[in-house]
Amino acid sequence: MKFLDTFLDRITMYKLVFYGLIGLLLTAGIFGAFGILPYSPFAILYSTAVLIIVGIITNIIFAYVFEAPTNTESTYITTLILALIITPFRNIHDLPMLGWAALLAISSKYILAINKKHVFNPVAIAVVLTAFWLNDSASWWVGTSVMAPFVVVFGLLIVRKIQREDMVFTFFAAALITEGFFTITRGGDPFAMLKNVSLHSSLFFFAFLMLTEPLTTPPTKGLRLFYAGLVGFLFPPSMHLGSVYSTPELALVIGNIFSYLVSPKQKLILYLREKLQYGTDVMHFIFTPKEPLKYVPGQYMEWTLPHEKVDFRGNRRYFTLASSPTEPEIHLGVKFYPSGSSFKKALYGLGNKTPFVAASLAGDFTLPKKMDAKLVFIAGGIGITPFRSMIKYCVDMHQSRAITLFYANKKASEIAYTDVFTEAEKIGIKTIYTLTDKESVPSNWTGEIGRITPEMIKKYVPDFLDRTFYLSGPHNMVEGFEEVLKTMNIAQSRIKKDFFPGFV
């Protein structure tokens, strides 16, 4: 499992989805060659090629017209999903469905968007429109018993990467309970229904690949679970309104409307104002938005940076906002590595003329509403950014909270945001600094030395059993420290972990 987690930490969500979709299409092609699936490898390849070509051309045209950064990675994923749910090419009459589906899916990101934020899952809205317009629906041919094991394995990797297991489980429960209700009331066999829905339907592919699409899901856990339950309730084909019967794509489109109504609507195109260096590998970026961004301290956004020679890790990342809503600027803190991605290299050299796109504000790693809640913040390296946001907010709003921050770095030169934490001492927020590289500790160092241990926590926080712990940093550090807290008898409900899809 450690190897699996290391692999998932190093690959972005979008690359994982891209390679997984390619793998599913290759698997389907092999099954088709042996007659296990009723589609030849040529039919699958031809359909995929048509969808990709139309999708890329559409994306280039609309990006030019709308003066928006192009995102070929997203185009590939959208068209590959379409290739797995639209029946592979049989004859010339299938071309309109393929062409229109790709065109509608990609163009919907630009046309069906409000304040630069697209409302619908592109694949779902495309096949809904082709069904009503061309009277040609998606067949969801990937939902067969022979493909199910591969879809499930791939899907489980995705939900483990983005940590949306609860959301997928909620969808499954709602969909199966609803379909079971219809089956029983009609005198059907619920066990046969369960087998059919699990092995011969779009259930798994839909849940893992489309329901969890981050740009059209709500921003917080509670809303995401309600969203998943709503889509699951509408998912069964027995659900209908008059003569209009539900389909997976229609259920998702309705869910997208709910998601849009409860989600932040902003999508910002930002230009660099200033950047500061902390140590040798941490950079702090400051942007001045044209319009104020409404957010809660500790939340994150998805950032897109167009650049040349994009490597396999893509041109999108998730970063926590280091700024406080009380500040007019947007702040980001980013750690760089010697063998960094093309994205990180482009970001390191970012100038004030390159657009940086921020969207999909989300996250539950925020301050509790109860002002008297006692908290311990534990940060490793660049994991300090959400705490900078929260503490700066407390300082500016004169909120005196019972917070103790433990901040670990290898070297003293890597410590960031001391100005904010020093000012926070005036309202009772304490910061404990510790250096883990014992060989590089300065002679005048007055902080702690070594990793954050249970003994160190007990030394500075005697009432630790009454505290809620917030953990932020590299995945391995967060997971490891969660286990340490459990040995200290800290209840799971009192441990909050910073998470967004793709820490790299």
Side-chain angles (χ1 to χ4, degrees):
M1 289 301 254
K2 186 176 181 180
F3 169 79
L4 178 61
D5 286 335
T6 301
F7 165 73
L8 292 176
D9 281 346
R10 292 184 59 84
I11 189 170
T12 66
M13 178 189 66
Y14 293 102
K15 284 302 173 186
L16 175 63
V17 173
F18 174 75
Y19 291 135
L21 291 171
I22 291 292
L24 289 180
L25 285 166
L26 289 174
T27 301
I30 294 171
F31 285 151
F34 286 95
I36 300 173
L37 284 176
Y39 313 110
S40 70
F42 170 79
I44 295 172
L45 177 62
Y46 187 85
S47 294
T48 305
V50 170
L51 288 164
I52 290 176
I53 291 170
V54 174
I56 289 175
I57 294 173
T58 302
N59 191 52
I60 291 172
I61 293 173
F62 276 85
Y64 175 79
V65 171
F66 284 81
E67 297 181 344
T70 58
N71 196 325
T72 54
E73 184 182 53
S74 176
T75 300
Y76 284 131
I77 290 174
T78 298
T79 51
L80 290 174
I81 292 176
L82 285 170
L84 285 159
I85 69 173
I86 296 176
T87 303
F89 180 80
R90 293 161 299 188
N91 55 58
I92 198 69
H93 299 294
D94 291 330
L95 285 178
M97 173 64 174
L98 294 169
W100 278 111
L103 188 150
L104 291 169
I106 303 304
S107 62
S108 72
K109 301 178 184 182
Y110 300 91
I111 298 174
L112 300 179
I114 303 175
N115 292 332
K116 303 182 181 69
K117 174 181 172 63
H118 65 263
V119 179
F120 299 107
N121 179 289
V123 172
I125 192 63
V127 292
V128 164
L129 292 175
T130 55
F132 282 100
W133 185 16
L134 301 178
N135 197 30
D136 199 348
S137 302
S139 64
W140 295 87
W141 64 271
V142 69
T144 62
S145 59
V146 295
M147 291 296 294
F150 301 93
V151 171
V152 169
V153 170
F154 171 41
L156 290 175
L157 288 176
I158 292 175
V159 296
R160 187 177 181 88
K161 169 68 177 177
I162 64 177
Q163 296 185 19
R164 294 289 184 263
E165 295 92 343
D166 53 356
M167 183 179 173
V168 172
F169 177 81
T170 300
F171 165 78
F172 283 154
L176 294 175
I177 290 172
T178 305
E179 183 61 25
F181 172 79
F182 282 116
T183 300
I184 293 172
T185 55
R186 293 171 181 171
D189 181 354
F191 295 103
M193 175 278 298
L194 182 62
K195 178 181 178 181
N196 184 61
V197 171
S198 301
L199 298 179
H200 303 283
S201 77
S202 57
L203 184 75
F204 291 125
F205 186 85
F206 178 87
F208 293 134
L209 269 296
M210 296 182 66
L211 179 74
T212 57
E213 196 266 330
L215 295 182
T216 51
T217 53
T220 58
K221 181 178 180 179
L223 290 173
R224 282 193 296 268
L225 295 183
F226 185 89
Y227 167 78
L230 173 63
V231 176
F233 173 74
L234 297 172
F235 181 83
S238 301
M239 186 68 66
H240 68 96
L241 180 62
S243 61
V244 179
Y245 281 78
S246 182
T247 62
E249 59 270 22
L250 185 57
L252 189 57
V253 164
I254 296 172
N256 290 160
I257 295 174
F258 163 78
S259 179
Y260 180 80
L261 292 175
V262 300
S263 298
K265 311 298 190 294
Q266 288 177 285
K267 184 176 183 179
L268 304 177
I269 298 180
L270 303 171
Y271 291 88
L272 181 68
R273 194 193 82 180
E274 184 181 2
K275 56 184 175 182
L276 307 170
Q277 185 103 24
Y278 290 99
T280 57
D281 56 5
V282 174
M283 192 81 77
H284 184 77
F285 299 85
I286 303 175
F287 306 88
T288 303
K290 293 183 179 179
E291 57 186 88
L293 176 66
K294 296 180 181 180
Y295 62 99
V296 178
Q299 290 189 303
Y300 62 84
M301 297 184 78
E302 182 189 61
W303 298 77
T304 302
L305 179 60
H307 59 281
E308 297 180 354
K309 298 180 180 179
V310 179
D311 66 13
F312 75 97
R313 283 175 277 189
N315 64 354
R316 291 188 281 188
R317 293 293 187 280
Y318 287 87
F319 294 124
T320 296
L321 295 165
S323 49
S324 162
T326 56
E327 297 177 289
E329 304 89 3
I330 300 295
H331 295 244
L332 287 184
V334 182
K335 183 176 179 64
F336 294 86
Y337 299 90
S339 58
S341 63
S342 65
F343 179 98
K344 287 289 187 74
K345 291 176 181 177
L347 181 58
Y348 190 86
L350 184 68
N352 58 11
K353 294 183 179 180
T354 302
F356 202 14
V357 182
S360 302
L361 178 69
D364 296 293
F365 194 74
T366 56
L367 289 167
K369 293 182 180 179
K370 292 184 178 180
M371 293 286 294
D372 59 350
K374 297 180 178 181
L375 311 174
V376 174
F377 293 167
I378 297 179
I382 200 58
I384 194 63
T385 53
F387 299 136
R388 193 268 182 198
S389 175
M390 296 181 200
I391 293 176
K392 176 63 175 171
Y393 179 80
C394 291
V395 170
D396 291 346
M397 297 300 291
H398 306 289
Q399 292 185 0
S400 181
R401 289 177 179 257
I403 297 175
T404 298
L405 166 66
F406 291 87
Y407 183 15
N409 286 281
K410 286 185 178 181
K411 301 178 180 179
S413 61
E414 297 175 348
I415 298 174
Y417 313 131
T418 54
D419 56 334
V420 174
F421 304 140
T422 299
E423 190 176 3
E425 293 176 1
K426 299 176 183 178
I427 59 171
I429 296 177
K430 298 186 297 182
T431 300
I432 314 301
Y433 300 96
T434 184
L435 302 179
T436 58
D437 185 354
K438 298 179 181 179
E439 302 298 324
S440 64
V441 177
S443 58
N444 62 344
W445 178 250
T446 58
E448 292 287 337
I449 299 174
R451 298 183 182 277
I452 301 170
T453 62
E455 291 70 29
M456 188 185 298
I457 293 174
K458 294 174 183 178
K459 174 182 176 182
Y460 293 98
V461 191
D463 61 346
F464 65 94
L465 289 175
D466 299 326
R467 303 257 178 164
T468 296
F469 286 75
Y470 283 57
L471 311 179
S472 178
H475 177 78
N476 290 338
M477 183 218 96
V478 171
E479 294 298 316
F481 213 87
E482 181 180 19
E483 295 303 315
V484 171
L485 292 178
K486 290 178 181 178
T487 66
M488 297 172 63
N489 296 319
I490 304 298
Q492 185 66 49
S493 61
R494 288 186 173 270
I495 301 175
K496 290 178 68 71
K497 299 181 291 183
D498 188 23
F499 169 76
F500 38 89
F503 198 86
V504 296

